[in-house]
């Protein structure tokens, strides 16, 4: 049995987000990246890293004395962005970004999503620590408007030796 749930949890998030992006009706589908991409798309979701937070923090606590179980608590940083130009650009960028977050959050609230498809044992995952940033300076206006949403998928999992 793996000591940490982190690799399986990230793999599940990436695969699930790609499925949600493909069937979510977005045209074109929203690109989903495992780690920071080498280019920037108009809209995207990045799992496992943000410019402000490149770390997945892991806290392990042991069950009881003599027990072979432990609880693992970790956060997976994620970021979404959407860029729009033209009339009503900020509103449309914000709607695009929140549509991506809402699709993932809705899935995480399902029975399968809560356990990240079995990656978490007797545990849960939720989207938390949401921060919304929107472009607002005159210098940025020539590039359209961007809404970025950074958030963490906060996980708790139990493992046994």
């Amino acid at each position: 049995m793996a000591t940490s749930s982190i690799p399986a949890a990230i793999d599940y998030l990436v695969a699930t987000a790609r499925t949600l992006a493909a069937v979510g009706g977005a045209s074109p589908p929203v690109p989903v990246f495992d780690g920071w991409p080498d280019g920037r798309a108009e809209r995207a979701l990045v799992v496992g890293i943000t410019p402000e937070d490149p770390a997945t923090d892991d806290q392990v606590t042991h069950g009881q004395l003599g027990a072979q179980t432990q609880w693992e608590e970790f956060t997976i940083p994620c970021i979404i962005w959407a860029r729009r130009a033209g009339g009503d650009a900020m509103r449309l960028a914000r709607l695009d970004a929140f549509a991506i977050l809402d699709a993932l959050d809705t899935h995480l609230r399902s029975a399968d999503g809560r356990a990240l498809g079995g990656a978490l044992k007797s545990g849960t995952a939720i989207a938390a620590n949401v921060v919304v940033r929107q472009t607002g300076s005159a210098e940025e206006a020539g590039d359209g408007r961007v809404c970025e949403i950074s958030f963490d998928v906060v996980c708790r999992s139990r493992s046994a030796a």
Side-chain angles (χ1 to χ4, degrees), residues 1 4-5 14 40 44 47 50 58-59 95 100 114 118 124 132 136 140 142 159:
M1 169 180 268
S4 177
S5 302
V14 170
R40 188 141 171 145
V47 176
T50 70
D58 189 12
Q59 308 273 328
L95 289 174
I100 299 165
R114 197 60 84 196
T124 59
V132 180
E140 296 168 320
S159 63

Side-chain angles (χ1 to χ4, degrees), residues 8 14 18 20 22 80 86 93 98-99 105-106 119 126 128 131-132 136 139 141 144 160:
V14 170
R18 285 181 177 152
L20 290 172
I80 296 165
F98 272 95
D105 189 47
T106 297
I126 61 169
V131 177
V132 180
E139 293 173 358

Side-chain angles (χ1 to χ4, degrees), residues 72-159:
E72 180 180 33
E73 296 181 28
F74 56 94
T75 59
I76 301 171
C78 300
I79 190 166
I80 296 165
W81 68 81
R83 179 190 169 280
R84 286 292 193 109
D88 213 13
M90 189 71 263
R91 179 179 165 278
L92 294 173
R94 188 172 47 251
L95 289 174
D96 285 350
F98 272 95
I100 299 165
L101 177 62
D102 290 346
L104 186 60
D105 189 47
T106 297
H107 179 75
L108 289 176
R109 293 172 188 267
S110 72
D112 195 44
R114 197 60 84 196
L116 297 182
L120 305 180
K121 308 298 181 207
S122 301
T124 59
I126 61 169
N129 308 321
V130 176
V131 177
V132 180
R133 292 179 189 86
Q134 301 180 102
T135 56
S137 73
E139 293 173 358
E140 296 168 320
D143 289 332
R145 294 291 182 211
V146 176
C147 179
E148 286 185 351
I149 303 174
S150 59
F151 63 98
D152 293 321
V153 176
V154 180
C155 304
R156 181 174 175 153
S157 183
R158 181 180 60 85
S159 63

Side-chain angles (χ1 to χ4, degrees), residues 32-59:
V32 176
F33 298 97
D34 183 351
W36 199 251
D38 59 1
R40 188 141 171 145
E42 293 291 306
R43 297 176 295 171
L45 166 62
V46 176
V47 176
I49 190 169
T50 70
E52 295 83 22
D53 189 1
T56 296
D57 299 320
D58 189 12
Q59 308 273 328

